[in-house]
Amino acid sequence: MKWKWKVKKEMYVPFAKETPRRILLPQVKVKDTEDITEDQVTITLRRAISFHSTLQAHDGHWPGDYGGPMFLLPGLIITLSITGALNAVLSKEHKPEICQYIYNHQNRDGRWGLHIEGPSTMFGTYLSYLTLRLSGEEADDGQGAVEKGRKWLLDHGGATAITSSGKVWLSVAS
């Protein structure tokens, strides 16, 4: 499968309008037969920095769509949970949003994949299920989504069937 990453312009346009480019540099054009000079590299880097600085939000971050990997968020939630920082870092408003994101990407068979469009995997299902539970979801929450995921996990071998990296996360979380 070939991935196509698309930049959602609507996220960046407001920042670009508020922070116009300070330096307008010419585009460097190099023919195949020419050597690239240090000045051309410098101009190209300055153009890139100038462009990306217009996309930066006022608080210093670059907004973007996180849609994709389903295995990164569980690592954050597990780490915050075991360090006792879950409630200090995430507000009560964050948790339902995180859970809704996970619910939105549950496959019809009750499992989750490694990414939002991926096929169901044991690893993805365990991490998503664990994230929901650590975020405060009960077995009957998510209109049956939590229970559906749990049932599938238990019916298919439980924790012994997860990959070794999944077992590491489960051991850290317990």
Side-chain angles (χ1 to χ4, degrees):
M1 176 187 301
K2 189 173 185 180
W3 283 94
K4 287 186 178 180
W5 296 101
K6 296 180 183 176
V7 174
K8 292 189 175 183
K9 291 181 182 176
E10 62 271 9
M11 284 187 212
Y12 299 107
V13 170
F15 297 109
K17 287 180 180 177
E18 292 173 17
T19 315
R21 290 189 201 179
R22 290 178 227 124
I23 306 168
L24 293 176
L25 298 168
Q27 184 175 1
V28 175
K29 295 182 181 182
V30 180
K31 296 179 184 174
D32 290 340
T33 57
E34 293 179 10
D35 288 336
I36 299 172
T37 67
E38 189 175 325
D39 286 341
Q40 290 171 318
V41 171
T42 301
I43 289 170
T44 301
L45 289 172
R46 285 187 180 167
R47 280 175 51 89
I49 291 168
S50 175
F51 172 73
H52 283 90
S53 68
T54 66
L55 305 179
Q56 191 172 16
H58 300 292
D59 64 359
H61 83 282
W62 282 272
D65 184 11
Y66 176 74
M70 292 291 291
F71 53 87
L72 299 174
L73 183 59
L76 173 67
I77 300 301
I78 293 167
T79 303
L80 291 174
S81 178
I82 63 170
T83 60
L86 187 64
N87 294 325
V89 173
L90 298 179
S91 69
K92 63 181 180 174
E93 291 82 14
H94 282 105
K95 290 179 191 175
E97 293 295 325
I98 288 169
C99 294
Q100 189 60 55
Y101 180 81
I102 294 170
Y103 290 140
N104 287 346
H105 299 295
Q106 186 176 27
N107 293 328
R108 289 186 180 152
D109 63 4
R111 300 187 295 163
W112 289 269
L114 293 177
H115 54 87
I116 61 172
E117 295 176 348
S120 300
T121 65
M122 181 67 78
F123 179 66
T125 302
Y126 253 111
L127 290 180
S128 293
Y129 176 80
L130 183 59
T131 301
L132 289 169
R133 295 308 300 262
L134 291 174
S135 297
E137 295 294 278
E138 298 295 332
D140 58 349
D141 285 340
Q143 298 175 341
V146 175
E147 180 56 32
K148 193 174 182 181
R150 180 180 181 274
K151 181 179 178 347
W152 189 92
L153 290 168
L154 294 174
D155 289 348
H156 291 84
T160 58
I162 196 170
T163 61
S164 59
S165 55
K167 288 175 182 168
V168 169
W169 278 117
L170 289 176
S171 67
V172 167
S174 52

